[in-house]
Amino acid sequence: MKHSKKSRKILILGFAAVLMVLLILGAIFVLEAKSTLYNEKNNYLEEISYKSAENIHGEITGNLSTIDAIASILGGHEDFSVEHALPLLKEEANKDLFIRMGIILPNGEAYTTDGLHFDLSQRDYFKKAMINENVVSDTLNDVVNGNKINVFSAPIHHDNQIAGVIFATKSHEAFSKSLSIESFHGEGYSYIIKSNGEPVIQTSHKNSIENYNNFFTDISKSGTRTEDLQRMKNNIANNKNGSFQYNKNNTDYQVCYTKIGINDWYVVSLVPSQVISAQSDKLISKLIFLTIAIIFFTALLGFFMIRSYENNNKKLEKLAYTDEITGCSNRAKFYVDAQKLLKDNTDVDYALVLLDIRKFKVINDMFGHETGNDILKRICKILCQNTDDAEAFARISSDNFDILMKHPSDYEVICRLEKILSNLENMIDDYKIEIAVGIYPILDHNADINIIHDRAGVAKNIAKRQNDTFYHFFREENRQEIIDEKEIENIMESALEHNEFEVYLQPKYLLANNKVVGAEALVRWNRGEAGIIQPNDFIPIFEKNGFIRKLDLYMFEKVCELMEKWKIQHPNVEIPPISVNISRVHLSDQNLPTKLWAIANKYKIDHNLLEIELTESAVFLGLDNMIEIMHNIKKAGFLLSIDDFGSGYSSLGALKDLPTDFVKLDKSFLDDSVNNQRSESIIRNIISMTKGLGIATVAEGVEDAAQANLLRSAGCDIVQGFYFSKPITIEEFEKIIF
């Protein structure tokens, strides 16, 4: 890039002006910096106060959840009594989470895990629990030894009524430890108070108010401004956080107060103002020196910067417009080039193509990031060889590429994409690289490139959900799909509340005798007059927004409820096991096994009649974490199966470490197995190897007799599919087994 002498002169004058501005700003900066830094330190104190409140809330909520879960277990026993309940409580009490645990009968008589018996009928936490509240008390004196404690309580529901209250005591000191903060060289400390100022948790910090009766009263005696104190009271009364200053023993303190979200408790954190100022003063001295140094070196280097202006501009342009991994254009460069091409070539029909590598994270995990980067570079090289000067391409993000491609017809665009895809074949041995492509034919050359990209992205997301082709052209009706997705999200909570999600069952057959040996529970959304919504239309949406967690537990509970009904109506008939799918989104919850355990016990269902299905992709993406979760599910007594086995990147080597009972062969193996020797061989080998590991094999998607005969000859244990039965209603399934 060439510049005239006039431009150089303007640049020099501009640089001189910059130096003058730096001098002025430096002076202003020094004057303002202290106040700014002080505010930052105050914000830091507010963050500490918030974290303390968050920690206390998390600890209390966790303890209440533990007590509530135990109450659910106790109430779920058919013969609930103190004699049966106390041994379980003793086992929990031995974990040292609480001082003691016990049960309070409705008349107020309390029995504890350490053999004590006393009357707690007048305790507020007992009264609240008896009206169905989970409670943590304010600080109380222990009726046994007078020590300060906090009590957690929850109602025990048995036979549709509150049969008593479970309670557990925690020492006052345990909460005090949760308030310990190491900040500002140990000068910071915290309290927990009630909304009326009374103490809940005090601290032994050297600078703290010792044994105060009311925080508001004590600080009002220390020179706190009346308006600050009143504002604090008003904020706390309205569940708001805040801060102010007060003076104690001629020392100013900065005070921050943050609601905990439990009862009406607040965390109040304090630090001497001079501690904040002292740190700020040191920083100011350094900043003054740094400002002077910057101005000096700016002036010194100015000449060299102006002299090398052109070279630096070229380097900066390259950095700004080049993708660091592939060396091709990045998003910013592509948007500039694409907008220019569209403006200069108004007579050319274009389409924006968004190319996405499927399961790119899997490639990185299996073969390493170096291989993943090589694939990205290879794609750039292929795109460079398959585009001309009137086209543009770039790596937009991660494994996504944008291509501004000429669009004489849909057919020609598809042919070019198939050629690009063919060049990716055999890049990794024994692994097929797949892509998903969204295509947006550009109708208006003046349209915003961001909008064009977004519409290609919509088409790409649709392509990723398709099984029959790797591409999708954006059509106007795709707008309606986006609207439909939003409508589904708007009604999903109401649908769950009104039991619109129904259980369908697909029978499983033992190949040896064609006998029904179980079923898989599948969800259908019955919208009444609007008809049935198929899972493919709502499951991906629920997985994306997290609602699938609720639906998983809902389906599991509906199956348990159904099996309880069968036990009552058919006491002499063996109930077949039912498998329930758990989404990969749900598997990040370490408490999932406990939740399943509690639901099954609620309906008194034998755990070995419930099979938990996990998809192969979910298991092998986070193998170490999943092994732990699977072991916990097995410890709870449930059966386990890995669904879609062989669909992506499973490892038979890792299978030996998984505590699974069943492996479900992916349907793709069966699609061409009868006429494909390789697929048949894979099926036979997987069945043989899993049998050697003591794992039963289930084949899903069996659609004809030839497939059934192949599986029978290969030694497959169990099958399901349309050849035997489609998913049917509960009533139809009951006719088969009863």
Side-chain angles (χ1 to χ4, degrees), residues 405-418 473:
M405 184 180 291
K406 293 175 183 176
H407 179 232
S409 67
D410 290 355
Y411 174 76
E412 291 183 63
V413 169
I414 294 169
C415 289
R416 291 182 66 182
L417 289 172
E418 288 176 340
F473 283 88

Side-chain angles (χ1 to χ4, degrees), residues 110-166:
Y111 298 86
T112 70
T113 53
D114 47 3
L116 300 176
H117 176 204
F118 37 75
D119 182 9
L120 296 178
S121 60
Q122 298 307 310
R123 291 292 197 183
D124 284 344
Y125 60 81
F126 165 70
K127 295 177 181 179
K128 291 180 179 179
M130 286 301 294
I131 59 173
N132 203 30
E133 289 186 35
N134 292 349
V135 184
V136 56
S137 74
D138 294 330
T139 301
L140 305 172
N141 291 323
D142 196 335
V143 297
V144 178
N145 53 27
N147 291 338
K148 291 183 177 181
I149 60 171
N150 296 89
V151 181
F152 297 80
S153 63
I156 301 172
H157 295 273
H158 181 69
D159 290 339
N160 297 321
Q161 63 182 359
I162 298 178
V165 174
I166 182 173

Side-chain angles (χ1 to χ4, degrees), residues 534-565:
Q534 295 301 318
N536 287 343
D537 294 330
F538 61 85
I539 292 295
I541 299 173
F542 291 173
E543 288 185 333
K544 183 168 62 175
N545 63 28
F547 184 73
I548 194 69
R549 292 170 177 263
K550 290 185 179 180
L551 184 59
D552 282 348
L553 295 181
Y554 173 88
M555 288 292 293
F556 186 80
E557 182 156 4
K558 283 297 181 183
V559 168
C560 291
E561 185 180 311
L562 174 64
M563 298 178 83
E564 181 188 44
K565 184 192 79 170

Side-chain angles (χ1 to χ4, degrees), residues 604-732:
K604 303 179 180 63
I605 306 301
D606 292 338
H607 293 193
N608 61 5
L609 293 178
L610 293 163
E611 177 185 331
I612 309 302
E613 286 198 19
L614 311 176
T615 61
E616 176 202 71
S617 59
V619 172
F620 286 91
L621 267 177
L623 188 58
D624 293 338
N625 180 55
M626 281 308 306
I627 288 177
E628 180 182 355
I629 291 179
M630 292 174 74
H631 275 293
N632 289 336
I633 291 175
K634 286 295 294 179
K635 286 179 183 177
F638 299 111
L639 299 174
L640 267 176
S641 65
I642 299 178
D643 197 7
D644 300 333
F645 189 79
S647 61
Y649 43 92
S650 58
S651 167
L652 286 170
L655 190 61
K656 63 179 174 49
D657 299 320
L658 300 177
T660 186
D661 301 285
F662 302 95
V663 162
K664 296 188 74 173
L665 289 175
D666 185 67
K667 181 180 180 297
S668 60
F669 286 126
L670 288 176
D671 288 341
D672 58 352
S673 59
V674 175
N675 299 315
N676 188 317
Q677 187 64 37
R678 185 179 182 186
S679 294
E680 180 180 339
S681 177
I682 291 174
I683 291 174
R684 292 183 181 277
N685 278 285
I686 290 178
I687 293 174
S688 175
M689 294 183 72
T690 52
K691 281 185 177 294
L693 294 172
I695 301 171
T697 309
V698 180
E700 56 184 347
V702 182
E703 297 181 350
D704 55 47
Q707 292 176 345
N709 291 334
L710 169 61
L711 292 167
R712 187 177 287 109
S713 67
C716 181
D717 301 295
I718 299 170
V719 291
Q720 67 181 93
F722 276 40
Y723 178 67
F724 292 91
S725 173
K726 65 179 182 179
I728 56 179
T729 64
I730 292 172
E731 291 75 14
E732 291 172 318

Side-chain angles (χ1 to χ4, degrees), residues 324 372 431 494 665 679 692:
E324 60 181 353
Y431 188 91
S494 174
L665 289 175
S679 294

Side-chain angles (χ1 to χ4, degrees), residues 59 99 139 147-150 170-180 201-202:
E59 181 178 347
I99 299 173
T139 301
N147 291 338
K148 291 183 177 181
I149 60 171
N150 296 89
K170 192 160 188 173
S171 70
H172 186 77
E173 289 75 13
F175 278 136
S176 295
K177 291 179 181 178
S178 300
L179 285 175
S180 299
I201 304 295
Q202 301 196 28

Side-chain angles (χ1 to χ4, degrees), residues 263-300:
N263 298 336
D264 60 343
W265 296 357
Y266 266 73
V267 168
V268 182
S269 299
L270 304 90
V271 68
S273 300
Q274 64 183 9
V275 174
I276 301 177
S277 299
Q279 294 181 352
S280 300
D281 290 341
K282 291 179 182 178
L283 286 173
I284 289 296
S285 298
K286 294 179 181 178
L287 288 172
I288 292 173
F289 174 80
L290 182 61
T291 301
I292 295 172
I294 289 174
I295 293 174
F296 174 77
F297 283 106
T298 300
L300 183 65

